[in-house]
Amino acid sequence: MDANNRRSDATSVQLNRERITELLAKRGVTGPSASAEFLGIHRSVFARWMDQKILPSLPAAVRIARRLEVAVEELVEDKVA
């Protein structure tokens, strides 16, 4: 783990926060609590993902993509850190 406590192994991904927010808003889901509930995750985990303090695992990103009815590629940042 790096100094920012972010998971950086090959099984974690950086989410595109703006795209997730946009997809949630299209479904009428706003705010961290409602977003976390809609996605089926704990609010604190959602907040840390969105703040990029931790990175979700690839399986978690796939579950989010399915819930939002998009391809996982639409949720993942395409820039390499």
Side-chain angles (χ1 to χ4, degrees):
M1 229 180 286
D2 69 14
N4 293 324
N5 202 24
R6 287 176 47 181
R7 208 165 149 192
S8 60
D9 59 35
T11 62
S12 60
V13 295
Q14 185 169 341
L15 298 177
N16 183 319
R17 297 174 294 176
E18 292 79 23
R19 182 67 177 137
I20 292 172
T21 302
E22 174 187 316
L23 290 166
L24 288 166
K26 284 183 179 180
R27 286 161 178 77
V29 180
T30 58
S33 293
S35 296
E37 184 177 338
F38 179 84
L39 296 174
I41 57 176
H42 194 275
R43 182 178 184 266
S44 66
V45 172
F46 178 76
R48 291 184 297 181
W49 284 350
M50 297 303 276
D51 291 341
Q52 295 180 342
K53 291 182 179 176
I54 62 171
L55 301 176
S57 66
L58 184 55
V62 170
R63 285 191 305 273
I64 291 169
R66 285 183 182 149
R67 186 69 175 117
L68 293 171
E69 300 177 346
V70 297
V72 72
E73 292 84 2
E74 287 190 52
L75 304 181
V76 177
E77 287 286 341
D78 57 356
K79 60 185 173 187
V80 176

